[in-house]
């Protein structure tokens, strides 16, 4: 699934405790997490007395300069990259959010989505709170400020009991770093060590980027308070069955990350292999939708012994500032981003492997590109099940009625609608078998968008 | 007093109700108020349903473009220009502040300083409020959100009873414009009409700029609520003795504004005349410190029949982005901004008229420039009394011990310290006589920085 | 004449030889010359081996930053500020121009206009030269590069013989600074000393700004070659009658400059006095069009014993990025830049003193402002004669038929056309008498735009 | 070879004749050629009467906005993307260059390097030409302007006879588009048709991007003059043996381009296969240095039946504005750009396929990354011969003595120096066999950097 316009993960978080170059490390960590959000970036550093921060719309490499990093003094820092939300202009919602409250300064960086945010926000409004952003994250800060507990170390765990949904959460005061993960473990969050420093990141690829050693994942329902007295841990909830978002493994996470102890790359390849076993296609070659579907395509090809070929090339320079063609040149839109290699494709029967289909718009265009390039047959294979239900935990799927799987009853009709000779999805069972390998008993992955079984109460 | 680094007025506010080009008018209105604050500018417009806003660091002409103005749709708008406050980087404190609270959207623009802001802020912190700015203005929003009154129209007047100090205040909801002035009338605030539209501005020069007709000043302790049902007015406090800041008349306001029914230009000229009567100097010519002191200098010259000459020329292009000379060229600093005309000055006995002296640093430099240009004598005459006490209502004076008047007991020693042959100030009585002309009984001007008599309780 | 859109001087130049902070000084020098051109600014420094330069559209304070200045290393530098020319976007024409030619690197900064530029350009085209700018200045560089003389020191004076018109010219090679002034001395150019450094500037106000001591003016037809061997001077033309542009004294130059040994301020005041003697008006007060006409207005008032009053206030923040009102608010245009003070004007008979009238558009608007503010009578007095002929030496007057003086036969009709009760100009004789004071025999000022007598051949 | 710092192709060119959206198409065409140059971008459009142009430092998507494109009116346009050259700051060298000469306006865009540029430049200097850039391209414009032929259509072909080296050249006057390729055909240049419009581009991927139909390649020594009278073609040189740069096929061109009638992707894969036949390695998997080496790696793997695995992941967000780690974090440099996947690599014997080695610095770092990730053996295989000689036709290789192949006599020592268990290069014969497939008799590719046989005279 190449199109960022169809499905959107909201954020990446990164934090450092006890390193003289905390802001620099956070810059590199966020850079490694850039795939998790390209709209805004921010870093808050603490020198033990006060905060120094900078955040703005844009990529990490555009938001920060050497001068700015140099001003972000201190041995602690947290950072955030974020995907856009509708209707905002200006970056008021950029994270980490920074507040002053009765106990001092507070910075909050959050990846996820609270299902009871609107409810809690309304309660807070009734008690006289004012909000400056439309974020769930600001709700967390308000709850903290209103906690009956006076000390941050006591108030922070209390607040976590009130919020429901998905959250990989970093909070920072002048001297403390607080880390927590929702009780279902819906979002990934890993800890690392770098000499005497503690590092925390949404994905292990960011730990690798700063040469930190992977220590362990934060557990569902767990919190950690890190300050000069050491690391204190606790639970704000009994560990429920772990339900990490399966889309992280299928699409969001970077291939070189390890999630839940498993290589993302290996999982994707295995999904491709399983898909091949379930839904083989008689074809001359396997082509991937670059870049996220390459591992699944390799697995699919390997399993069936069909060659994997580079039939589609992505223009690496398509970014946020790209000027989309106006009406008269509209038909160019897809080919400016992706190009089919005629010499590879022409006259061939193609298996096009993608990791997921949401609305099907992009798939239809890509099938069209392959047809134009002379493909004899195009068989689309998807290395995950049909997406039928919306996500309430931070993934902006299309509206339910726009989902391809809800517009057609049968795979065959779906396939026809995107112009493919055949279309087949990985089975839910097939996916579970791959994802559940190595999980502790009772744990599984959240498959709500595929099967409608939501791990949390909904509001 | 030419130096903005010695004394600083904090803000200018402007608002429009019921005009199809509300944001454009606000742009021009703020532009006319630019002298009241050059650090940041912002406009919030309401289309009746939602806000559209933009604010940033910089001059009005830099912050806004045609494109941005076009996006600020709606028939209501409020705007703000602001002087810098120490320690901020990034513009988080730029106004108007925008909030969401239980009743909807709220924008607040404020000129002034609350003497009980720290106290109220602490109370709010204890009740669990979180703050995103260091402004007094955010305190007002919190009080509003926590008011026992549910409706904005009831809550807003209530809040005004809790805040003390100086405030010319504009608040806007999706459909309502609220205007209020502190009970002492410390800051100016005038109403105008432009066809069917209502306009409100810190100074009448901004009404003139948009071709609005002056209607009347907002009265101390008065509020107005303007919406589609009309204009509702009320009082949150008995009218106390009016105590408009005398520095507005002496220095801050633009010469073409009318404050308290009096022409600022005429008042300044009369202060110069009175000064001449009190403290004549035997000299060949009168020279003004440009620009604000020109009227007083004209009055001084006229009264004594001494010629007024352009002995000092100001470089109009010195602005915020000017690169100050480094150490090796430090001595150039003053001459890059101001230049003495040797052909005028040489061999002459000069009366240098300035409107005020705070720390005396700039005065010393200007006297030096005149000496270098060959002045035979330099007699400094100040068209206001000695500044001896700090202002708690929005003017950033120097620290009390830095004030020239507190470092030397006598005028003579003060004059010597700035290199002048003589130095003389307008008497407090002389100033009062000029300022009080035409004031209603009981009213007067705040002279606290001159005589230490503060009109409000201090905290 | 406040409007820069009616008449435009093209440039200011500044140069430094032998100072460790050559680029810094040039920055401050250009800043003092900013009134001579606001469109672009540039500095070229030489470290003796190579050039370092920066130029861009914008004010001096916007074009340069501390970082940029620090990169402009070397002990020599020349700089340039420039007014806009039609049709350019992007700044290709910004000066100093920098070239590589057979002898090495060359930088050229030029104030003036060559009457034979088109002719020489065509000759050069026919010989195969290519041009990157539309400037006269590039013609000079081509002529130099094609000179039969191999050495810069010989070629440069030769080139000057071929060019006609007005030029105050700075050229720089890696090790040499070359200064020259056209044979008529149409543009001002002054030399100064600052310790061991030599400084050259379009106006003495820039020498003062960097604390250089005025040494002497460059003479018409003179050149100077300054390098480590000292200063060599010569003539490329017999000194003709000096004909410095009278508009420099009337309008362009900064009031604190000294041109031709005379204080600009004093000259302007004397023009006002002479105007008063020639064309007295029976009025209550004298009002100046700010800023350039203030000295003439003071002189006019002084001569007649009528009070000078601040009836018009200019908004100092109107600049290039100001958003002009769109159609619906068009009538605001003039009042956003200039404001009449009703309290001063109302019911009064006003003499409005301006330094010149070109098309009359602005004058008409200003008279209108005064009328709106309640003026009983408005008598316009101009401290220079009628402008009837175009300038070919660097001043962009309007087209000949657009000049107010060419649209009406009589002062009376002209006055009526701008809404004035009366209009009167200074006589040519009156102007000459003032300007010629102190000039050496045979010298005079160029009055071509007033009387059509051009000092040079025209093409 | 992932590192752009080791070897640099200079440019891409694109042109359109007779299309109402010429500038838009050029924008998309340049965007598809972005891999050929990331430092600056420029477009010149002609509306038949005059040019409209814009160029600046930065990526195509940063340099142009919708507003700017809209101003580039006209039905003809040429564009250019360019790699950086040392020592420039500011973008004066950005192309297309725009000149005025005797016949009117001229724009020039050039990909390549002239071996006699310095010689011709010196001749031109002696004849009095002045240069504003350090580019070879400006030499071409000077020669054109000095041609004995008066008409562009005659002069342009003449000039081509004087310049030697590599050039894919576009020139434009107000009404004509001129296209030419050097006599050796060292750089690629293809023609396409889009309805009634003619399109020309450095690579066919840019024709595809704008949906143009590939028409044919420009032939070595050929020129085309396209205007409203049609297309005129001619030769300025007998077709010599064609010698297209082999590095275009190995590394520079985008994989979906077709060069010389051959799919770049297919050629690279075949180079990998041939390499496998020549220099098989006993290993568990094949890993590519992303992105350019993926096809060769696939070919290598396929030939030997070893699995191709994604052992290295590239961070797609590393760009020009990336802040390189300071001294204390220097060891992070390579891992921020490239990441080895431990789960894939650990305990395995790896064949690392790269397309070329220049200095070997990057190869050494990548081998190190694989070792850290637990690789048991690392065998480096290069799908081109050793680079031993500098390129004079536009590729910035390292200095000759820095080339890895010149620092060690044997492959074994080279391999050891980069930490590999073995290192092997494709033979020159092996490369020629692949590249020469389908070439017309006598044609071949330029292999000068591999074997020192330069197709042109050197100066």
């Amino acid at each position: 699934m190449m199109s960022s316009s169809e499905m959107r993960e909201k954020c990446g978080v990164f934090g450092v405790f006890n390193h003289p170059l905390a802001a620099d490390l956070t810059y590199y960590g966020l850079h490694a997490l850039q795939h998790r959000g390209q709209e805004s970036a921010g870093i808050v550093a603490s020198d033990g007395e006060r905060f120094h921060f900078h955040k703005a719309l844009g990529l990490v490499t555009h938001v920060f300069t050497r001068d700015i990093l140099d001003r972000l003094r201190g041995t602690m820092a947290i950072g955030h990259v974020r995907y856009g939300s509708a209707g905002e202009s200006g970056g008021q919602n950029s994270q980490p959010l920074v507040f002053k409250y009765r106990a001092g300064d507070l910075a909050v960086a959050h990846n996820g989505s609270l299902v009871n945010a609107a409810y809690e926000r309304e309660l807070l409004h009734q008690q006289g709170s004012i909000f400056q952003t439309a974020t769930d994250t600001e709700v967390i800060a308000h709850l903290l400020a209103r906690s009956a507990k006076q000390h941050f170390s006591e108030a922070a765990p209390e607040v976590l009991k009130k919020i429901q949904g998905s959250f990989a959460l970093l909070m920072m005061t002048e001297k403390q770093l607080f880390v927590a993960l929702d009780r279902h473990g819906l979002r990934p969050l890993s800890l690392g060590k770098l000499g005497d420093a503690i590092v925390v990141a949404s994905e292990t690829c960011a730990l690798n980027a700063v040469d930190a050693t992977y220590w362990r994942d934060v557990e569902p329902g767990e919190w950690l308070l890190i300050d000069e007295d050491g690391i204190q841990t606790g639970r704000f909830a009994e560990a429920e069955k772990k339900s990490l978002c399966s889309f992280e493994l299928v699409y969001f996470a970077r291939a070189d990350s390890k999630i839940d102890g498993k290589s993302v790359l290996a999982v994707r390849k295995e999904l491709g292999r399983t898909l091949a076993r379930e839904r083989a296609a008689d074809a001359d070659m396997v082509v991937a939708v670059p870049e996220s579907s390459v591992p699944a395509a390799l697995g699919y090809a390997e399993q069936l012994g069909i060659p994997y070929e580079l039939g589609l090339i992505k223009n690496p320079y398509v970014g946020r500032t790209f000027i989309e063609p106006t009406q008269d040149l509209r038909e160019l839109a897809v080919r400016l981003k992706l190009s089919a290699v005629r010499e590879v494709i022409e006259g061939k029967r193609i298996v096009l492997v993608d990791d997921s289909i949401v609305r099907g718009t992009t798939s239809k265009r890509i099938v069209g590109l392959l047809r134009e390039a002379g493909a004899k047959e195009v068989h689309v294979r998807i290395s995950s099940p049909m997406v039928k239900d919306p996500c309430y935990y931070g993934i902006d799927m299309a509206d339910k009625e726009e989902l391809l799987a809800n517009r057609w009853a049968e795979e065959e009709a779906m396939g026809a609608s995107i112009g493919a000779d055949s279309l087949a999805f990985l089975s839910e069972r097939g996916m579970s078998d791959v994802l559940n390998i190595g999980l502790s008993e009772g744990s599984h992955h959240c498959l709500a968008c595929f099967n409608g079984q939501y791990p949390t109460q909904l509001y």
Side-chain angles (χ1 to χ4, degrees), chain A:
Chain A
M1 190 183 67
M2 77 165 298
S3 165
S4 60
S5 65
E6 294 204 356
M7 189 181 298
R8 301 188 300 191
E9 157 55 319
K10 285 259 183 51
C11 320
V13 296
F14 191 89
V16 178
F17 181 84
N18 194 32
H19 192 287
L21 294 167
D24 278 43
L25 290 179
T26 304
Y27 172 83
Y28 295 118
L30 292 180
H31 184 251
L33 298 171
Q34 186 76 81
H35 61 287
R36 297 183 71 88
Q38 290 97 49
E39 201 199 47
S40 74
I43 298 176
V44 182
S46 174
D47 63 13
E49 299 296 325
R50 53 176 298 199
F51 284 177
H52 308 277
F53 66 98
H54 183 73
K55 47 187 183 165
L57 294 180
L59 296 178
V60 173
T61 51
H62 292 145
V63 166
F64 295 96
T65 62
R66 185 70 259 165
D67 274 358
I68 291 171
L69 279 188
D70 287 345
R71 280 193 276 115
L72 302 179
R73 290 188 305 276
T75 60
M76 298 169 61
I78 66 174
H80 190 272
V81 288
R82 172 170 158 278
Y83 217 101
S85 57
E88 186 202 7
S89 81
Q92 292 85 4
N93 290 356
S94 299
Q95 295 201 16
L97 298 180
V98 177
F99 307 95
K100 288 178 185 299
Y101 79 121
R102 62 183 173 212
D105 287 334
L106 177 70
V108 187
H110 167 218
N111 172 28
S113 187
L114 304 185
V115 292
N116 65 335
Y119 174 80
E120 289 292 336
R121 178 183 279 258
E122 185 54 29
L123 282 184
L124 287 160
H125 270 324
Q126 292 314 324
Q127 294 168 60
S129 289
I130 58 178
F131 285 76
Q132 299 208 13
T133 73
T135 62
D136 293 2
T137 313
E138 193 172 354
V139 171
I140 300 173
H142 277 288
L143 292 173
L144 186 77
R146 286 174 175 279
S147 168
K149 310 284 188 183
Q150 287 292 317
H151 293 291
F152 175 76
S153 56
E154 292 175 345
E158 282 299 303
V159 166
L160 303 178
K161 295 177 184 169
K162 294 194 184 165
I163 57 178
Q164 294 172 32
S166 66
F167 54 87
L169 182 70
L170 304 187
M171 296 201 286
M172 187 170 74
T173 68
E174 294 89 336
K175 297 178 188 292
Q176 297 160 305
L177 176 64
F178 184 83
V179 177
L181 183 63
D182 68 74
R183 69 192 70 195
H184 309 283
L186 279 157
R187 302 262 78 89
L189 193 60
S190 297
L191 297 161
K193 296 187 175 178
L194 176 59
D196 294 335
I198 301 293
V199 182
V200 56
S202 286
E203 293 184 32
T204 63
C205 68
L207 302 181
N208 295 339
V210 300
D211 208 15
T213 307
Y214 172 77
W215 169 24
R216 67 171 177 90
D217 288 356
V218 180
E219 289 176 31
E222 184 191 20
W223 58 262
L224 297 93
L225 180 72
I226 308 171
D227 62 16
E228 57 182 10
D229 296 333
I231 303 174
Q232 183 183 347
T233 70
R235 301 205 135 273
F236 60 91
E238 287 308 301
E240 303 212 4
K241 291 178 187 175
K242 187 167 192 171
S243 329
L244 186 123
C245 168
S246 53
F247 246 91
E248 291 277 356
L249 284 155
V250 167
Y251 171 64
F252 294 138
R254 222 168 78 172
D256 55 327
S257 284
K258 223 165 100 177
I259 288 187
D260 240 349
K262 287 176 297 200
S263 159
V264 169
L265 180 64
V267 167
R268 287 180 188 167
K269 200 165 172 189
E270 190 58 31
L271 290 171
R273 271 202 206 92
T274 307
L275 175 63
R277 282 190 296 262
E278 290 186 353
R279 308 298 297 264
D282 187 16
D284 300 316
M285 65 178 63
V286 173
V287 167
V289 178
E291 296 293 327
S292 61
S293 305
V294 171
L298 283 173
Y300 193 94
E302 221 172 276
Q303 178 69 27
L304 296 184
I306 307 177
Y308 163 81
E309 300 285 354
L310 291 175
L312 290 168
I313 305 285
K314 190 177 177 180
N315 185 338
Y317 297 100
V318 172
R320 295 187 72 86
T321 57
F322 180 71
I323 304 172
E324 292 287 340
T326 48
Q327 199 53 45
D328 294 333
L329 298 172
R330 188 72 73 200
E331 73 281 7
L332 298 184
V334 67
R335 68 176 60 239
L336 297 170
K337 296 171 188 165
L338 208 57
S339 157
V341 186
R342 171 168 290 275
E343 294 71 19
V344 170
I345 300 296
E346 194 161 31
K348 295 301 196 312
R349 296 171 303 156
I350 311 290
V351 179
L352 178 71
V353 174
D354 202 349
D355 48 36
S356 53
I357 285 190
V358 180
R359 285 187 292 144
T361 323
T362 303
S363 305
K364 187 174 177 177
R365 286 187 185 143
I366 296 174
V367 172
L369 270 185
L370 294 174
R371 296 273 186 216
E372 271 184 56
K376 199 163 134 197
E377 297 175 13
V378 181
H379 301 277
V380 177
R381 293 295 178 272
I382 306 300
S383 62
S384 63
M386 292 182 200
V387 172
K388 291 179 186 161
D389 290 285
C391 175
Y392 298 106
Y393 310 120
I395 317 299
D396 281 343
M397 305 282 192
D399 289 339
K400 186 162 181 173
E401 62 273 21
E402 291 181 314
L403 297 170
L404 185 71
N406 293 333
R407 287 191 290 127
W408 307 94
E410 304 291 332
E411 271 183 357
E412 201 177 324
M414 276 182 232
S417 79
I418 61 168
D421 292 292
S422 76
L423 168 64
F425 292 84
L426 181 64
S427 70
E428 192 186 320
R429 174 63 186 273
M431 174 177 245
S432 291
D433 284 352
V434 174
L435 300 191
N436 290 342
I437 295 170
L439 284 196
S440 57
E441 198 180 345
S443 284
H444 61 289
H445 284 80
C446 176
L447 300 176
C449 58
F450 303 117
N451 64 14
Q453 295 174 19
Y454 296 95
T456 75
Q457 183 184 357
L458 301 181
Y459 282 70

